[in-house]
Amino acid sequence: MMVATDESTSRNAHPLVQALQDEKTPVVKALVQTLTDHFEEQTCLLAICPNSRAVTKAALLAAQEANAPLLFTSTLNQVDRDRGYTGWTHDDLIGFIDRKADQLDLDVPILPCLDHGGPWLKDRHVIEDYTYEEAMSAVKQSLESCIDAGYELLHIDPTVDQRQPDREPTSIDWVVEHTLELIEHAEAYRRGQGRPPISYEVGTEEVHGGLADRDKFERFLEGLDAGLRERGLDDAWPCFVVGKVGTDLDTSYFEPDTARDLTTRTKPYGALVKGHYTDYVDNPDDYPLAGMGGANVGPEFTEEEYKALMDLVDLEHKIGKTSGLKKALREAVVESGRWKKWLHADEEGRAFNELDEERQNWLIRTGSRYVWSDREVSTARARLYENLDGYRDAEGYVLWRIKQAMMKYYHAFNLIDFNSRLERVLLPTQEPA
């Protein structure tokens, strides 16, 4: 269970967390080391993006059912100082998790993490045409906000340089230099605030990050290692390195051989490979077998949220009532403009209504996560739940659908009852004298 703490931080007091952390080793890094030492090629950690209140609550329920650690990994688009599209600051997210965990009487380690902390990886940086200096300053302030809120891991990801010609990969030297800059800033701030050690994740699965080539991946690791040593930041060596393992926005097959190769390259540094774009992956069972340390899943769960709500809209119509949720979602997604970032090259410049109907439906489904907190959408959703009162536990159905999607990964990653296995390693029963 997450317990209440002072106003400046939210720490997890679960016995397993207490057993993992010490004065020098942060929790997630210690957990990754435990995977390497005791559960090699057996278990892969699941990280869930808290991209809506329903997804966040369902994740808490799923982790409790699985009896496994829960890593929440929020992007700066989702949760940030400007409240992101969820309406949450970093403190707000931690507060929501604390309250729900207490209400649900949870007894699992809950580890908040940052995903994709880097310049121009937040839509606002691009839309408002931030300069390099403005983007880096904003990211540094967001890192500080995460540290203040009690995040356990920061993904440092300066792999996009908006000044580069379109689709040109960022140079490895540039990525290394600015990864070091952001880690150094975060560590200086953390120490200045008297905060305990935190874990780091680095790299990207995107081609624009320049790490898709395995030789460049190796150069990145070597450069990062040398740079951290020069700065006296050996203890801040990341526990996860994001690798391009076959999955991206348009593909769903995980490449075990690629993952094994990248794992072989990262393990000498005390790190494991983390996969992104794991949503709807074809072969999740292969992740632990290939030695993967973790995998992020996000859009899949909010798409399941959308599908569940559309089921309820169909039921609502059968009883002769209309909430207007479907219309409100479509209008909000189109108005947000965020659907444009997912357009294919041959769709650029076309109005939403000019796209194929199948593409429109996909963009609304995947774009729904951006607008759940929109006033018209939340009002229509509340009306839907009210209309179904007496016919269906609407919220319960939505949470169940999302939780079922999560449980698929808890099973595939061999995380069922993983807390008990951790306890046997970390909290062995003392034999009587």
Side-chain angles (χ1 to χ4, degrees):
M1 181 188 300
M2 297 188 74
V3 298
T5 57
D6 64 60
E7 61 182 8
S8 64
T9 187
S10 177
R11 301 295 293 169
N12 193 324
H14 192 280
L16 284 174
V17 173
Q18 297 299 310
L20 284 164
Q21 68 185 355
D22 59 35
E23 293 181 359
K24 292 186 177 181
T25 306
V27 176
V28 182
K29 190 171 188 177
L31 181 56
V32 169
Q33 188 60 56
T34 304
L35 289 184
T36 303
D37 293 343
H38 300 279
F39 305 101
E40 186 174 11
E41 297 186 2
Q42 293 180 16
T43 301
C44 173
L45 296 173
L46 174 63
I48 293 173
C49 297
N51 46 30
S52 75
R53 280 160 172 74
V55 167
T56 305
K57 186 173 180 180
L60 294 168
L61 294 169
Q64 181 76 346
E65 181 174 324
N67 189 31
L70 173 56
L71 278 68
F72 276 120
T73 180
S74 65
T75 70
L76 296 180
N77 278 325
Q78 294 162 355
V79 180
D80 201 5
R81 294 173 300 116
D82 64 359
R83 298 189 179 279
Y85 63 71
T86 60
W88 284 328
T89 64
H90 302 111
D91 281 330
D92 291 337
L93 172 61
I94 297 298
F96 181 86
I97 292 171
D98 283 348
R99 291 191 300 275
K100 291 300 178 183
D102 186 58
Q103 290 170 10
L104 297 168
D105 196 25
L106 295 199
D107 186 29
V108 297
I110 302 172
L111 307 171
C113 310
L114 172 69
D115 192 21
H116 292 299
W120 298 299
L121 290 176
K122 181 180 172 74
D123 290 348
R124 184 173 182 176
H125 297 178
V126 178
I127 294 169
E128 298 185 9
D129 197 25
Y130 277 29
T131 64
Y132 164 74
E133 291 76 17
E134 290 171 334
M136 282 293 279
S137 175
V139 170
K140 288 176 180 178
Q141 291 177 66
S142 294
L143 295 180
E144 294 172 5
S145 178
C146 290
I147 292 168
D148 288 341
Y151 274 44
E152 296 286 358
L153 176 142
L154 303 178
H155 178 199
I156 304 298
D157 186 13
T159 51
V160 171
D161 186 351
Q162 197 75 356
R163 300 164 297 183
Q164 288 284 101
D166 190 34
R167 302 186 185 281
E168 288 254 347
T170 307
S171 77
I172 294 302
D173 291 341
W174 194 91
V175 174
V176 169
E177 176 187 350
H178 294 89
T179 299
L180 291 168
E181 178 184 348
L182 290 175
I183 291 178
E184 187 170 34
H185 178 84
E187 281 296 285
Y189 182 80
R190 177 188 69 77
R191 292 170 179 172
Q193 297 298 306
R195 299 283 182 175
I198 57 177
S199 304
Y200 292 95
E201 176 178 329
V202 294
T204 182
E205 75 289 354
E206 299 282 7
V207 173
H208 64 226
L211 303 183
D213 179 272
R214 296 185 195 183
D215 290 337
K216 291 181 178 178
F217 184 88
E218 189 76 46
R219 280 177 51 205
F220 171 73
L221 295 177
E222 292 172 352
L224 182 64
D225 185 57
L228 289 172
R229 291 180 185 279
E230 289 172 5
R231 290 163 172 76
L233 294 172
D234 308 50
D235 290 345
W237 227 104
C239 59
F240 285 128
V241 180
V242 180
K244 187 172 177 60
V245 290
T247 56
D248 60 34
L249 183 64
D250 298 312
T251 61
S252 58
Y253 180 73
F254 167 69
E255 300 173 358
D257 290 342
T258 299
R260 290 188 185 95
D261 178 67
L262 296 181
T263 296
T264 299
R265 296 168 189 260
T266 57
K267 280 181 67 177
Y269 297 97
L272 291 178
V273 177
K274 184 103 165 296
H276 289 195
Y277 284 122
T278 311
D279 310 83
Y280 295 112
V281 70
D282 296 331
N283 51 332
D285 292 354
D286 287 333
Y287 276 68
L289 299 177
M292 294 288 288
N296 290 3
V297 185
E300 175 177 348
F301 299 142
T302 202
E303 286 193 32
E304 291 301 314
E305 180 177 1
Y306 173 87
K307 292 175 184 178
L309 286 166
M310 291 306 101
D311 285 349
L312 296 176
V313 167
D314 289 342
L315 176 60
E316 177 189 42
H317 289 166
K318 290 178 181 178
I319 62 175
K321 295 184 180 181
T322 303
S323 61
L325 178 59
K326 192 170 185 178
K327 180 174 181 289
L329 272 171
R330 178 186 178 90
E331 291 178 351
V333 169
V334 174
E335 177 66 23
S336 75
R338 290 179 182 265
W339 54 274
K340 296 177 182 178
K341 71 189 245 184
W342 304 117
L343 292 178
H344 296 150
D346 61 351
E347 296 172 332
E348 296 285 349
R350 295 168 64 183
F352 190 86
N353 288 336
E354 294 174 349
L355 301 172
D356 294 340
E357 183 177 359
E358 183 177 346
R359 282 291 288 158
Q360 290 185 37
N361 291 337
W362 184 88
L363 290 168
I364 293 170
R365 189 168 67 247
T366 198
S368 61
R369 65 184 186 270
Y370 300 127
V371 298
W372 290 130
S373 61
D374 178 87
R375 179 177 298 177
E376 286 72 21
V377 171
S378 58
T379 299
R381 182 174 185 153
R383 190 181 305 120
L384 170 68
Y385 287 11
E386 182 180 344
N387 287 346
L388 292 176
D389 186 32
Y391 296 89
R392 182 70 62 87
D393 175 3
E395 182 184 16
Y397 175 71
V398 173
L399 293 174
W400 174 78
R401 280 287 299 270
I402 301 169
K403 182 167 70 74
Q404 291 304 104
M406 294 172 177
M407 293 305 297
K408 172 184 69 177
Y409 292 100
Y410 276 112
H411 281 280
F413 292 170
N414 192 28
L415 286 166
I416 301 301
D417 205 29
F418 187 54
N419 288 340
S420 295
R421 281 178 279 155
L422 284 173
E423 287 173 3
R424 287 194 288 271
V425 170
L426 301 171
L427 302 169
T429 303
Q430 296 294 319
E431 296 291 334

